[in-house]
Amino acid sequence: MIKIIKKLLIGLLALGFIGAITLYAGLYSSLPQLTGTVYSGGVKQAVSLSRDSLGTAVITASNRNDAAYALGYAHGQDRFFQMDLLRRNAAGELAEIFGPGAIKLDERQRFHQFRQRAEMIVANMDVASKRLLQDYAAGVNDAQQAQHLRSFEYLLTQSKPEPWRSADSLLVIFSMYLDLQSGTIKRDLTLAHIERYFGAEMLAFVNQNSRYQAAIDGSELATPEIAIPSLSLPKVAMAKVTPIAEPVEVGSNNWAVSGKVTQSGHGMLSDDMHLSFAVPIIWYRAQLNYQSATGEAVQVTGVSLPGAPAIVVGTNGHIAWGFTNAYIDTADWIALADDEATQVEKQQIKLPKGEHEYALELSRFGPVRRIDDKAYALAWVAHQPYAVDMQLMQLETATDVSTGLEKAKHFGIPVQNLLIVDSQGDAAWQPTGAIPSRTALSDTAQHSDDYQAELWRQDETQIPRVHNPQSDRLWSANSRVMSASDHQRFGDGGYALGARAEQVRDNLLAHDSFDERLFFAMQFDNTAHFLTPWHEYLVSVLSSQPKVFSDDLQALAQWQQCACSDSVGYTLVRHFRDQMIDATFAPLEAGLKKQQLSLSAIKRNLETPMWQLLAKQPPQWLPQGYDSWAAFSLDAYRHSKQDLLAKYDSRNSGDLATLQWGKVNALKVQHPFSKQIPLLSHWLDMPEVAGFGDSYMPAVQRSSFGASQRFVVQPGREEQGIMAIPGGQSGHPLSDFYRAGFDEYGTHQPTPLLPGDSLATLEILPAAG
């Protein structure tokens, strides 16, 4: 019997070994061809596609269309599945791959009809833009055709890739609209229902202007003390408090200085775009070398967005540019009258087997959502024909700031704060992207009579800018950048609190001269200025029982005033603040939840009213079971600490050392599949890195969110430039470029902007040759 069992085990091990070898061989054969020669009818002249040690795609072509083909070819080789997810996400077509579990998400995206809008925009494009998208798509599809085996994602999902089409590149940009502006939509709907259910006084209280303000011109919005409204809602016990999800501030930091404060006399730019992390990371390193239409040699280096033929952020030797999300008001909800005519459009959502029917209600204002007994239509700039185009690529040939600003006036992208510098020393800021011309803005639902149909159809032409400011410094960090007067025109689409922008501004004002290394170091500033008042308050709360909380007070005394990896005190303060806000505003959250809404969309706004409540201590705002704010605060701390230990103290030791911020906020960059199949984690995910930053400081980092790239450059001095990215170029786990650059990112080391020596070169020749 023992011999039989032994033979069976040996047989099973042999089968497992053979299976593993077969799987590895199959995956290895699906790696793309990176060297040699291929022939294509998609290029007019010879093109070379090289990769360096980081996998940077270096493209040399005779014209921009051939360069677009080659960039599409590189994207198709390295990132096709991720591109597929982006287009399907925007179009509401994920259930075709992932099955019924994705239907609800598809329905939310189908609400916006982006597939139809993308196809309509392509049909009406100018000939040159249309041709560029066609050439890019041809490159993507030729790369897919050259693959010997589908990528492992398609094998696991038992699906197959569909050809790339021109409209798909626009869907990728629409997917960015969903990331960057969906918070604006949720914010307005939430505010409308706070007013509807809890009254105008409550709306004014929770939607106060922040005291943290850092506009470039120094202007400030008024911050009068708003009366605390009475709270007659059912109280919530601490044990039943539901955490209010912290909104992810999808945005960025960027700052710039003029040549007057650099040793070289060139302008200098820093840009780090904050997005959710996954494997592979969203950006793709690329350098395009080609001849412009007028014969000039163009070299543009930066990051591209797989699925689109443009360099999103980068430099061309003359100018450099970077973006942060602008968060101006680009959406309105219209409260429909009971007799307002609507119609229902039936759409079929494909499944791996069969279809699901989705009924979309439409009005003359836009798609309709019903909440309680009321219908609301959404007017959003992303629904307008000017929302998406290919004009961003015009920056590639701009030679100075003034020209770049003019070209940037009408980009079809989600509106961004553009910072732009040039080799002559100029620096400027301007909001750029799709901005509706309508002037009747509202934080809550509008009456249909206030809807300005004609102005919604027009892209705004009168936009503010700041060019070479007297301070020689520019900055943005998702809070209000423009003047207080311009703010009245363009509105608030969910601005960041402003604490991060203040810290960026103050760091710039603290120095008289700048270079690339200083700019890069400033991106890692994790000083906890914002949480310092909360630290002081928590110390005062725990000092009422110094013996009971002696260890806690010691951790708070050693908190280092930073989101540092070894700081326990930072963790305690951070989570205490969350618990206080969640418990205080729990009655409002419970009321909104009944309508599938949440305070999450405006949680950052609750900082000001929270401190007002702590100062005035009105009894009616105390949660259930407390007769004083001191008792409530003490118990809030106990609950937050208990929750932390339950999650991070695996040995139940009660040791506060287990709550170091680096562990609690560890950076975990995961592949979407490993989240569902943890056994794949070691194979697919990036190494875990101790956390070091947070939300309200320049060093933005949460467990799966943060600086998706760190870019520093002076145009004309690209050899000193920096581009650090939290992940490699390729989406193939066996590629040499799968994790290339991540270790340097995780240890805060700079990686060069310019490509290094070529390790592999693919020549793409016209088919006739």
Side-chain angles (χ1 to χ4, degrees):
M1 177 64 70
I2 294 175
K3 289 183 178 180
I4 294 174
I5 293 174
K6 187 175 181 179
K7 287 181 179 180
L8 286 173
L9 287 174
I10 292 172
L12 288 172
L13 287 172
L15 287 173
F17 179 75
I18 292 170
I21 292 295
T22 302
L23 176 63
Y24 183 88
L27 287 171
Y28 187 82
S29 69
S30 69
L31 283 166
Q33 177 186 350
L34 302 184
T35 60
T37 303
V38 297
Y39 294 90
S40 171
V43 295
K44 293 182 175 62
Q45 299 184 51
V47 178
S48 71
L49 169 57
S50 299
R51 266 90 166 188
D52 69 355
S53 62
L54 290 173
T56 307
V58 181
I59 293 165
T60 303
S62 298
N63 57 76
R64 186 60 176 89
N65 284 73
D66 283 355
Y69 172 93
L71 185 61
Y73 200 97
H75 287 165
Q77 286 186 311
D78 291 333
R79 295 291 190 86
F80 187 81
F81 185 74
Q82 289 70 39
M83 294 161 58
D84 196 3
L85 293 187
L86 284 175
R87 66 174 171 179
R88 287 179 178 275
N89 175 60
E93 298 169 356
L94 288 168
E96 187 174 3
I97 291 181
F98 298 110
I103 286 176
K104 290 299 181 183
L105 175 58
D106 277 356
E107 288 184 340
R108 288 199 299 272
Q109 313 303 49
R110 289 287 181 104
F111 182 79
H112 302 292
Q113 302 176 290
F114 282 144
R115 169 66 74 183
Q116 298 96 307
R117 298 183 196 282
E119 291 173 351
M120 187 179 301
I121 291 172
V122 168
N124 292 308
M125 268 185 170
D126 62 271
V127 174
S129 296
K130 193 178 296 187
R131 181 64 187 177
L132 195 85
L133 287 175
Q134 290 170 349
D135 289 339
Y136 175 82
V140 174
N141 292 326
D142 284 354
Q144 282 296 294
Q145 287 294 321
Q147 293 296 102
H148 298 296
L149 185 71
R150 285 179 288 167
S151 66
F152 79 94
E153 297 97 337
Y154 290 107
L155 297 176
L156 285 177
T157 58
Q158 299 183 355
S159 59
K160 64 178 182 178
E162 297 292 335
W164 195 261
R165 297 188 294 168
S166 295
D168 294 335
S169 290
L170 304 193
L171 283 171
V172 167
I173 303 174
F174 277 130
S175 198
M176 296 305 295
Y177 268 99
L178 291 167
D179 278 350
L180 298 173
Q181 293 188 2
S182 61
T184 298
I185 296 170
K186 294 175 183 176
R187 171 185 180 272
D188 284 7
L189 202 58
T190 298
L191 291 175
H193 285 82
I194 288 174
E195 182 179 46
R196 181 182 180 189
Y197 297 132
F198 311 130
E201 289 185 355
M202 186 67 74
L203 174 66
F205 181 61
V206 300
N207 196 36
Q208 300 180 55
N209 291 329
S210 170
R211 70 177 181 86
Y212 297 98
Q213 302 190 40
I216 290 174
D217 72 338
S219 63
E220 295 190 0
L221 303 180
T223 55
E225 184 170 314
I226 304 296
I228 298 175
S230 59
L231 187 67
S232 56
L233 298 168
K235 294 192 174 186
V236 179
M238 183 75 77
K240 295 184 178 181
V241 168
T242 302
I244 303 169
E246 183 172 328
V248 176
E249 286 188 349
V250 176
S252 315
N253 300 324
N254 61 12
W255 55 85
V257 296
S258 77
K260 292 181 180 179
V261 289
T262 63
Q263 293 182 357
S264 66
H266 298 222
M268 185 161 60
L269 169 72
S270 171
D271 186 83
D272 52 293
M273 296 183 284
H274 306 153
L275 295 168
S276 295
F277 288 168
V279 176
I281 205 68
I282 188 169
W283 305 118
Y284 186 90
R285 297 172 182 267
Q287 182 185 84
L288 308 183
N289 299 273
Y290 63 92
Q291 299 291 316
S292 72
T294 55
E296 288 88 5
V298 177
Q299 181 181 87
V300 56
T301 309
V303 292
S304 58
L305 174 62
I311 298 297
V312 177
V313 164
T315 176
N316 66 5
H318 303 288
I319 66 165
W321 64 94
F323 298 114
T324 71
N325 200 29
Y327 282 109
I328 64 172
D329 191 351
T330 56
D332 290 308
W333 288 94
I334 294 91
L336 301 184
D338 293 340
D339 59 353
E340 178 69 42
T342 65
Q343 59 273 357
V344 175
E345 178 182 291
K346 299 291 181 67
Q347 297 190 11
Q348 301 304 315
I349 296 176
K350 291 183 180 179
L351 299 169
K353 294 181 180 180
E355 294 181 336
H356 168 79
E357 186 174 87
Y358 168 57
L360 172 62
E361 187 175 5
L362 299 169
S363 72
R364 60 191 173 106
F365 307 102
V368 176
R369 177 176 175 180
R370 292 185 177 270
I371 298 177
D372 205 357
D373 59 344
K374 194 71 178 169
Y376 301 88
L378 176 63
W380 183 22
V381 71
H383 297 165
Q384 301 302 321
Y386 56 83
V388 175
D389 59 34
M390 291 293 105
Q391 298 307 304
L392 173 62
M393 291 188 299
Q394 291 191 25
L395 286 180
E396 294 177 8
T397 55
T399 56
D400 56 56
V401 162
S402 295
T403 304
L405 290 173
E406 286 304 307
K407 289 178 179 290
K409 272 184 153 182
H410 300 292
F411 289 169
I413 59 174
V415 61
Q416 301 288 292
N417 291 307
L418 167 68
L419 285 192
I420 181 171
V421 298
D422 65 29
S423 59
Q424 301 165 49
D426 281 13
W429 159 84
Q430 177 178 285
T432 185
I435 304 173
S437 291
R438 64 84 165 83
T439 56
L441 289 71
S442 176
D443 283 340
T444 58
Q446 289 185 348
H447 190 278
S448 58
D449 291 343
D450 295 326
Y451 179 73
Q452 300 170 310
E454 187 60 33
L455 293 179
W456 264 105
R457 289 191 285 268
Q458 299 174 23
D459 194 9
E460 180 60 76
T461 58
Q462 301 300 314
I463 53 179
R465 67 172 55 160
V466 177
H467 190 171
N468 289 338
Q470 188 174 0
S471 70
D472 296 307
R473 294 158 176 82
L474 295 161
W475 59 88
S476 75
N478 309 126
S479 58
R480 178 178 61 89
V481 178
M482 63 184 61
S483 68
S485 58
D486 285 329
H487 170 74
Q488 300 304 314
R489 161 64 187 91
F490 293 99
D492 183 349
Y495 281 135
L497 193 63
R500 176 161 47 93
E502 282 193 357
Q503 207 159 324
V504 170
R505 176 201 63 195
D506 293 347
N507 286 344
L508 286 170
L509 295 175
H511 295 89
D512 297 323
S513 180
F514 301 88
D515 60 19
E516 290 87 352
R517 293 288 171 162
L518 176 56
F519 261 32
F520 189 61
M522 289 167 60
Q523 294 185 354
F524 298 97
D525 175 18
N526 63 354
T527 310
H529 292 308
F530 172 73
L531 280 187
T532 297
W534 282 102
H535 173 268
E536 294 170 354
Y537 181 68
L538 179 55
V539 168
S540 70
V541 169
L542 301 188
S543 294
S544 65
Q545 298 183 25
K547 292 184 179 180
V548 175
F549 295 107
S550 59
D551 291 343
D552 310 70
L553 288 166
Q554 183 178 0
L556 291 170
Q558 299 171 350
W559 83 309
Q560 305 172 66
Q561 198 187 0
C562 65
C564 297
S565 296
D566 59 349
S567 177
V568 173
Y570 185 87
T571 304
L572 299 178
V573 175
R574 178 66 157 81
H575 284 262
F576 169 68
R577 173 185 178 269
D578 288 344
Q579 185 72 28
M580 287 291 292
I581 290 175
D582 292 346
T584 300
F585 293 95
L588 276 71
E589 178 72 356
L592 290 171
K593 283 288 186 184
K594 295 176 182 178
Q595 305 303 330
Q596 297 182 316
L597 298 170
S598 172
L599 287 171
S600 173
I602 63 161
K603 188 172 184 179
R604 64 179 68 88
N605 300 54
L606 301 181
E607 177 75 6
T608 298
M610 185 71 240
W611 278 111
Q612 196 172 340
L613 290 168
L614 288 174
K616 301 291 186 180
Q617 300 193 0
Q620 73 269 25
W621 274 81
L622 283 169
Q624 182 181 330
Y626 301 103
D627 57 7
S628 74
W629 282 81
F632 162 45
S633 299
L634 200 60
D635 209 29
Y637 174 72
R638 289 194 183 98
H639 274 80
S640 66
K641 177 182 169 181
Q642 178 182 336
D643 290 344
L644 283 165
L645 288 171
K647 187 172 183 179
Y648 298 104
D649 181 15
S650 58
R651 297 181 180 180
N652 297 318
S653 65
D655 186 358
L656 290 179
T658 61
L659 304 182
Q660 290 185 348
W661 184 242
K663 176 183 177 181
V664 172
N665 192 43
L667 178 61
K668 301 175 183 178
V669 185
Q670 296 181 273
H671 192 285
F673 284 12
S674 75
K675 294 179 180 179
Q676 305 301 320
I677 311 173
L679 288 174
L680 298 177
S681 181
H682 177 75
W683 187 51
L684 295 179
D685 296 347
M686 296 295 125
E688 185 173 310
V689 176
F692 73 97
D694 199 4
S695 300
Y696 300 104
M697 54 188 60
V700 169
Q701 190 235 294
R702 300 305 303 277
S703 61
S704 59
F705 179 85
S708 58
Q709 43 69 251
R710 295 192 178 106
F711 177 43
V712 178
V713 71
Q714 297 185 58
R717 287 172 47 88
E718 281 74 14
E719 68 280 0
Q720 305 297 323
I722 297 167
M723 181 67 80
I725 297 178
Q729 287 277 91
S730 175
H732 197 300
L734 297 185
S735 169
D736 292 338
F737 310 129
Y738 187 71
R739 293 184 173 88
F742 180 82
D743 287 344
E744 291 85 349
Y745 179 93
T747 55
H748 306 171
Q749 300 301 308
T751 46
L753 165 66
L754 290 181
D757 294 338
S758 175
L759 299 182
T761 299
L762 185 69
E763 297 290 341
I764 305 173
L765 303 180

